[in-house]
Amino acid sequence: EAQVTQNPRYLITVTGKKLTVTCSQNMNHEYMSWYRQDPGLGLRQIYYSMNVEVTDKGDVPEGYKVSRKEKRNFPLILESPSPNQTSLYFCASSLSYSREVFFGQGTRLTVV
Amino acid sequence: GIQVEQSPPDLILQEGANSTLRCNFSDSVNNLQWFHQNPWGQLINLFYIPSGTKQNGRLSATTVATERYSLLYISSSQTTDSGVYFCAVGTPGGSEKLVFGKGTKLTVNP
């Protein structure tokens, strides 16, 4: 089944404790991205990747890192999480940025 | 950057009713998609429709790119249609991202 898989689905962590949210797609898509969704602010792009080893900042990259060592994986790294990073996170992939987008199930992160 | 406005912001229907959701955008687009976010938070792609008309069961969508709007039609609504519907657009020669509208929250009552 074609899908985008994120893990974990839910995570509660403490301020400053490094964490990684994994994202994997099995559709051989070149384009992958991360979004966060917050009440009143909608969906905002954090980082995107046009292909392996090519990543760039979205609208709200501060406090996040990404890497794209393999085509299928695009992990989101929070080196030192803070409470303002409490949010619902989505990974997405598509053949290219102008094509149909598929989202992962979402990761609900709480930083206390 | 491009602006995306969705209307109405909220919509309450009785099961079986029909509805039309609208998405207006402020510039030319080469990419327009409709998504449904269900009450559990999952985002499902409904249509990839930068122009023209598509239908999928009780749902259909039309994009008139020259007039900068898109419509999502839901016929014979069911309680499972509840959730938030997002329109998202991308622009030719613009940044490599989708710009999302704020969504229409649909509630279908039994």
Side-chain angles (χ1 to χ4, degrees), chain B residues 11-52:
Chain B
L11 186 57
I12 300 174
L13 302 174
Q14 286 299 121
E15 204 166 23
N18 302 329
S19 62
T20 301
L21 283 57
R22 187 176 180 101
C23 172
N24 291 334
F25 42 94
S26 61
D27 205 345
S28 301
V29 300
N30 64 350
N31 184 356
L32 189 143
Q33 304 186 39
W34 283 96
F35 297 91
H36 175 220
Q37 186 167 35
N38 63 27
W40 296 270
Q42 290 183 302
L43 276 165
I44 307 298
N45 195 309
L46 298 174
F47 293 103
Y48 169 76
I49 187 166
S51 64

Side-chain angles (χ1 to χ4, degrees), chain A residues 95-110:
Chain A
L95 275 173
S96 71
Y97 83 95
S98 62
R99 302 291 294 275
E100 186 176 8
V101 173
F102 298 88
F103 282 90
Q105 314 96 305
T107 296
R108 194 168 293 278
L109 172 65
T110 301

Side-chain angles (χ1 to χ4, degrees), chain B residues 3-15:
Chain B
Q3 304 297 313
V4 182
E5 292 185 3
Q6 292 187 242
S7 59
D10 294 278
L11 186 57
I12 300 174
L13 302 174
Q14 286 299 121
E15 204 166 23

